[in-house]
Amino acid sequence: MTFKTIVVQLDTGAHATHRLDAAVALAERFDSHLCGVYSEFTLDPRFYYQADRQHRYEVSLADLCRERRERAEHLFRARLALTKVAHDWRANEMTGGRSMIDHARCADLTIVGQHDPGEPDAYLADRFPEGMIMGAGGPVMVWPRKSSPIPFDATAVIAWDGSREAARAAYDALPLLRCATRVDVVSIRADRNSPLGAGAAASDLARSLIRHSVRANVIELSAPRGANVEEALTAYLESQNVRLLVMGAFHHGRVRETLRGGLTRSELRDADLPVLMSH
């Protein structure tokens, strides 16, 4: 298994360049075809209601969308011109995020940006990354707002809870896990509850991954009394200088995690490293 087709979401936001650089590095490593997709512009009231952008009332929405699309396309083509990566460009503005999902369903890996509430120019739709993860049908890598190194030749972590979603993510991530110097399969015991992963032993997963030439080992953690799983996992990621987190998304369902929080929502909101998620 490898990533032969990679889709990257592009926009006119400040973080698009870092996301594109990551996609190019992945495509070069795996000899992939890279598809740049302009993330369809969805009008957000915040886009107009900023005092320093009142001049936008004087520009037609069609002209504004065309200018944004052309900027994103120029960024993509200029960057790919410096490489030998096979690639193509897709754009279909003013249609919301639906066609982005269509492209993702024909790819081995999709890369999208972490939402940045301070960057209205990159706004697409409420909970866009979540919608991509739920609808893509394959792995989605959420690239962080902060600058992050490419997740090669470093430590990767699989957040293991024994669920179908976690298993799917672990095997979807195999090409990247083989590139890691170490892969920790992390299960966490919260207070007196059974450790996450009780449904299927983390050691069983590690042995299976080893057969795939992955340097896997098992880490069992206990969350301090009063702490939650999200805090315990974040502390471990920081202490080990982890460069990639692999996890299943919305194990408890999207509605429940949206209303009550959860690990998926926490990592989508706060992670400062690439997170590969599958549902």
Side-chain angles (χ1 to χ4, degrees):
M1 174 187 175
T2 188
F3 300 135
K4 298 309 295 182
T5 304
I6 297 176
V7 165
V8 59
Q9 168 236 343
L10 294 174
D11 52 39
T12 55
H15 309 303
T17 300
H18 301 303
R19 191 161 62 248
L20 178 56
D21 286 342
V24 169
L26 287 164
E28 289 177 329
R29 183 67 171 255
F30 298 113
D31 190 24
S32 310
H33 184 99
L34 181 60
C35 180
V37 179
Y38 175 61
S39 49
E40 300 79 5
F41 177 69
T42 301
L43 180 61
D44 173 20
R46 293 174 295 180
F47 192 76
Y48 279 107
Y49 292 126
Q50 295 184 70
D52 61 341
R53 299 186 178 185
Q54 294 297 323
H55 68 279
R56 285 182 173 164
Y57 283 112
E58 302 171 2
V59 180
S60 75
L61 184 57
D63 289 342
L64 182 60
C65 290
R66 182 172 57 255
E67 186 270 333
R68 288 165 60 91
R69 173 177 52 77
E70 289 174 351
R71 268 194 288 153
E73 182 176 2
H74 175 75
L75 172 68
F76 179 78
R77 295 194 184 280
R79 180 67 179 84
L80 270 295
L82 303 175
T83 76
K84 296 181 180 180
V85 173
H87 60 276
D88 60 85
W89 170 256
R90 310 286 177 83
N92 184 21
E93 70 273 20
M94 293 299 292
T95 61
R98 174 67 208 184
S99 67
M100 183 76 194
I101 289 179
D102 291 340
H103 292 303
R105 288 177 178 172
C106 299
D108 301 304
L109 176 68
T110 301
I111 304 172
V112 302
Q114 185 182 40
H115 177 60
D116 186 349
E119 191 182 29
D121 273 10
Y123 176 84
L124 293 176
D126 287 337
R127 308 193 190 285
F128 173 76
E130 292 94 321
M132 285 299 304
I133 292 164
M134 293 291 289
V140 174
M141 180 180 287
V142 182
W143 200 259
R145 295 182 294 270
K146 298 181 180 179
S147 179
S148 180
I150 308 301
F152 296 146
D153 308 316
T155 300
V157 159
I158 300 171
W160 180 248
D161 62 1
S163 67
R164 176 191 68 81
E165 293 82 0
R168 172 69 186 272
Y171 289 100
D172 280 345
L174 273 176
L176 286 167
L177 298 180
R178 291 193 187 101
C179 295
T181 56
R182 189 180 90 221
V183 175
D184 292 344
V185 182
V186 175
S187 62
I188 303 173
R189 182 189 297 273
D191 293 331
R192 298 181 180 179
N193 296 329
S194 299
L196 295 182
S203 58
D204 290 339
L205 175 66
R207 282 191 289 268
S208 179
L209 292 174
I210 289 170
R211 297 182 191 111
H212 286 277
S213 302
V214 174
R215 301 175 182 87
N217 60 97
V218 175
I219 303 294
E220 293 185 354
L221 303 176
S222 296
R225 185 173 295 277
N228 58 36
V229 170
E230 293 90 336
E231 292 171 349
L233 180 61
T234 298
Y236 185 80
L237 297 175
E238 292 175 350
S239 69
Q240 300 299 311
N241 193 28
V242 175
R243 289 192 184 177
L244 175 68
L245 174 62
V246 176
M247 59 180 286
F250 300 110
H251 175 205
H252 300 294
R254 183 179 181 184
V255 173
R256 178 179 170 186
E257 290 213 24
T258 298
L259 294 176
R260 299 179 58 185
L263 185 57
T264 305
R265 297 284 301 150
S266 173
E267 295 302 331
L268 284 172
R269 181 183 65 245
D270 301 324
D272 58 4
L273 79 170
V275 182
L276 187 145
M277 294 185 175
S278 295
H279 176 72

